[in-house]
Amino acid sequence: MAIGRLLIANRGEIAVRIIRAARELGIRTVQAHSTADADSLAVRMADEAVEIGPPQAAKSYLNIDALLAAARKSGADAVHPGYGFLAENANFADAVTAAGLIFVGPSGDAIRIMGDKAAARAAAEAAGVPVVPGSDGRIDDPERARIVARAIGFPVMIKAAAGGGGRGIRIAHDQGEFDTLMPQASAEAKAAFGDGGLYIEKVIEKARHIEVQILGDGNSAIHCFERECSLQRRRQKLWEEAPSVVLPQAVREKLCASAVALAESVKYRGAGTLEYLYDDESQKFYFIEMNTRIQVEHPVTEMITGLDLVREMIRVAAGEPLRISQDDVRMNGHAIEVRINAEDPAKNFMPAPGTIASLRIPGGPGTRFDTLLYQGYQVPPFYDSLLGKLIVWDEMRGAALDRMVRALGELEIGGIKTTKPLHQVLAADPEVRAARFHTRWLEPWLEQNAEKMFA
Ligand code: ADP
Ligand code: ADP
Ligand code: MG
C-alpha cells in the first residue's frame, strides 16, 4: 500500500467512516479539525489530530493552505476529502497532488469536467447517455436563455453549474417568472459557489431519483448497482434505498452500463455516483449530474454488495488496479438508510444543536448506525446537521422496512430534537411501504402529516 499516513480533511460521521477503512488497511490516520471539533469522535478515534483553524468552515475545513500545512506537519502522504467541503474542488485536488501527496479521489481534471454540472451534461451526451432536455452548456446571454426556455417548454429548472447539496436550483413556471428568477439565481450562485454560471433543464414531473455507484481505477470502471433517493425535502435526500424496486432488470442493465461508459469516458479514478431522474411510466432515464466523491448514502450499496467502498477508493487512489471485476459485484437483498439530523421535524426542520444527554444505538441483525455521536457530546452549531445514518438490510424490502421500524424504536438520542420521529411515521406509511413515491412526493406529505411528528 503506497499510503502510510492519511490526513482526513473532513469531519463528522464520514471522518469516522474513513478512519475505520484506513485502520483495516493498516494506514495511520490524522484527523484535521477546527477548534469546535477538538472533542469530536473522529478526533478521539484517529491516531493523531491536527488543528486547522476556527469553527467557521471557510477558515478551517475549506482552507486549502491550512489543510496542506496540516498534511506537511503530520507527515501524511495522502488526503481524503470525504463529502461536502472541498471534496469536489478541483483546485484542492490539484494542490494536494502538487504538494506531492495522494488525493483520495479523481484527478483535478476529472473533477473539472464532471463536477461542473453543465460540462458533465455535455460529457454525458458525448458518451451517448441521455440527459434531461435543456440548454447546451452554460447560458449567460439573457435573450438566448429566453429562447431556450421557450423551446424547452415551461416549467423549466434554472440550475447553478457549480451547485450542490440541493442548493442553487429554481423552477420557473412561465416567462415572467423566468425573467425574474434568472438574475436572482445567477447572483445567488455567485455568492454561494463563487460561480454565477447557470444552465436550464426541463422539469421532469413525478420523477424518481435513481443513481448509480461506480468505482474506477483510471483505466476501467465497474458499477455497484443503483440506489433510489426519491424521498427528498428541498431537494435534499432524507431516505435512501438499494436497489430501486421499480426498476425493471432490462432498464437497470442499460442504466448501469451508461454510468460505466460515462465514467470510463473521463478515465475516472475513485468512487463516484452518476445521478439520474427516472420516469416510471415511460421507463426512461435522464442523467442529471455526477458526484465525484463518496456519497452520504454509500452504505446501502455496501449492504447489498458486501463491498467496502471507502476501502476500495483508498486502494485505487494508492495506484492499485480494481481488484473486483463486474462479475464479482453481486446484489443481495434490500437496504434502507435514513438520515438522523439534529433538526426538529415538528418545527419545520429547525436546526437543533445541543448536548447528547443519553444515547442508545440500535444493533442486532442487519442493522448499522454510522454516527459521530457519543454520550455527553456537544453537537456544534456550525456545520451540517447530520448526526448519523441508520441503515438496515434484509432479504426483501418489506422485511427491511419492519427492521427499520424496530431499529428506530431502539434508537434513543436524549437531549436534542432529531428527525427520528419523521422516519418512524414514514416507515409506517402505506405509500412508502408500496414504494409509490417520487422526488416531489415528500414535501406535500410533510404538510399533511406535520402533527404526527410531535413525538
Ligand atoms: P449526497 O448525494 O451524498 O447526499 P449531497 O449533495 O447531499 O450528497 O451533499 C453531501 C454533503 O455535501 C451535504 O452535507 C451537503 O450539504 C454538502 N454539499 C454538497 N455539495 C455542496 C456544495 N456545492 N456546497 C456546499 N455544500 C455542499
Ligand atoms: P444537487 O447538485 O443539488 O444535488 P441535482 O441536479 O442532483 O442537484 O438535483 C437535486 C434534486 O433536484 C434531484 O434529486 C431532483 O429531486 C431535483 N431535480 C433536479 N433536476 C431536475 C429536473 N430537471 N426535473 C425535476 N427535478 C429535478
Ligand atoms: Mg445531486
Side-chain angles (χ1 to χ4, degrees):
M1 169 65 64
I3 299 175
R5 199 179 280 252
L6 178 66
L7 182 85
I8 298 160
N10 210 295
R11 63 177 305 282
E13 67 84 22
I14 196 64
V16 172
R17 174 71 187 84
I18 296 162
I19 292 169
R20 288 185 169 134
R23 191 153 285 154
E24 290 173 18
L25 286 165
I27 298 171
R28 277 184 74 80
T29 49
V30 183
Q31 181 61 50
H33 68 90
S34 71
T35 51
D37 278 336
D39 263 337
S40 69
L41 183 59
V43 167
R44 293 184 176 194
M45 283 176 64
D47 296 307
E48 292 164 42
V50 188
E51 198 186 287
I52 46 166
Q56 304 92 295
K59 295 186 174 157
S60 49
Y61 299 105
L62 291 171
N63 183 342
I64 295 181
D65 291 338
L67 288 161
L68 289 178
R72 243 187 334 266
K73 187 173 152 199
S74 61
D77 44 26
V79 177
H80 198 306
Y83 55 67
F85 297 123
L86 294 170
E88 294 189 77
N89 186 310
N91 295 335
F92 182 54
D94 284 345
V96 168
T97 312
L101 309 170
I102 291 171
F103 180 74
V104 183
S107 66
D109 286 341
I111 298 178
R112 258 175 219 108
I113 299 173
M114 299 310 287
D116 178 301
K117 298 169 82 176
R121 272 174 63 90
E125 285 191 280
V129 178
V131 299
V132 181
S135 59
D136 264 346
R138 293 176 177 226
I139 195 136
D140 301 319
D141 171 39
E143 205 35 58
R144 214 188 106 227
R146 291 172 128 223
I147 294 167
V148 172
R150 265 201 301 275
I152 296 168
F154 291 101
V156 299
M157 238 173 208
I158 304 167
K159 300 172 85 170
R167 297 180 310 137
I169 297 180
R170 300 295 184 80
I171 298 180
H173 295 89
D174 53 48
Q175 188 73 62
E177 233 176 28
F178 185 79
D179 291 343
T180 325
L181 288 177
M182 279 295 282
Q184 274 182 24
S186 180
E188 269 194 27
K190 179 84 188 131
F193 311 111
D195 173 356
L198 301 175
Y199 65 106
I200 311 173
E201 265 178 17
K202 186 175 180 62
V203 173
I204 308 289
E205 308 273 358
K206 302 205 171 170
R208 289 175 185 260
H209 175 112
I210 297 185
E211 57 185 38
V212 180
Q213 174 71 54
I214 60 106
L215 281 172
D217 61 13
N219 283 314
S220 61
I222 57 172
H223 70 78
C224 308
F225 302 104
E226 83 281 2
R227 298 184 281 263
E228 174 162 357
C229 320
S230 298
L231 295 180
Q232 305 180 354
R233 175 177 174 272
R234 298 190 175 165
R235 300 182 192 96
Q236 287 171 356
K237 303 156 186 167
L238 287 174
W239 167 302
E240 299 108 342
E241 309 193 17
S244 167
V245 285
V246 299
L247 207 58
Q249 183 57 24
V251 181
R252 169 173 297 120
E253 282 167 19
K254 270 205 293 185
L255 176 77
C256 293
S258 82
V260 170
L262 183 45
E264 288 189 338
S265 78
V266 295
K267 298 199 177 308
Y268 194 81
R269 184 195 61 219
T273 298
L274 295 104
E275 297 191 330
Y276 298 78
L277 293 175
Y278 176 67
D279 175 45
D280 293 51
E281 266 166 42
S282 64
Q283 299 194 347
K284 284 198 171 128
F285 56 81
Y286 309 89
F287 171 81
I288 48 171
E289 70 152 342
M290 178 168 193
N291 292 321
T292 56
R293 54 172 163 85
I294 192 76
Q295 269 187 307
V296 175
E297 59 272 24
H298 75 275
V300 289
T301 299
E302 296 184 325
M303 298 294 264
I304 62 159
T305 61
L307 291 169
D308 180 330
L309 294 170
V310 180
R311 181 199 291 168
E312 294 312 320
M313 78 187 287
I314 294 173
R315 278 182 175 151
V316 294
E320 297 180 15
L322 280 176
R323 55 179 69 196
I324 28 183
S325 71
Q326 190 61 67
D327 288 342
D328 298 330
V329 187
R330 298 276 167 77
M331 189 200 300
N332 178 30
H334 193 91
I336 305 173
E337 170 183 288
V338 298
R339 298 194 191 195
I340 305 295
N341 293 338
E343 294 169 3
D344 185 354
K347 291 211 179 98
N348 203 25
F349 294 81
M350 189 160 65
T355 301
I356 307 302
S358 63
L359 180 66
R360 186 171 68 187
I361 290 178
T367 307
R368 165 174 169 183
F369 190 55
D370 278 22
T371 187
L372 51 72
L373 296 177
Y374 58 82
Q375 192 169 333
Y377 177 61
Q378 277 188 32
V379 179
F382 308 106
Y383 311 107
D384 194 276
S385 62
L386 186 68
L387 298 174
K389 305 169 322 200
L390 177 58
I391 306 117
V392 297
W393 176 92
D394 210 320
E395 282 172 32
M396 305 293 285
R397 184 171 184 270
L401 282 162
D402 295 340
R403 186 162 271 173
M404 180 59 81
V405 172
R406 186 272 298 165
L408 281 166
E410 282 178 29
L411 174 66
E412 266 180 37
I413 302 175
I416 61 169
K417 296 281 186 195
T418 76
T419 47
K420 169 182 142 169
L422 160 70
H423 294 303
Q424 287 181 299
V425 185
L426 270 180
D429 186 273
E431 296 297 296
V432 172
R433 294 197 75 98
R436 272 196 296 267
F437 43 60
H438 51 81
T439 55
R440 294 160 91 185
W441 179 88
L442 183 61
E443 287 191 0
W445 180 94
L446 283 168
E447 304 263 307
Q448 285 156 25
N449 293 274
E451 80 288 350
K452 293 188 195 157
M453 250 70 81
F454 289 97

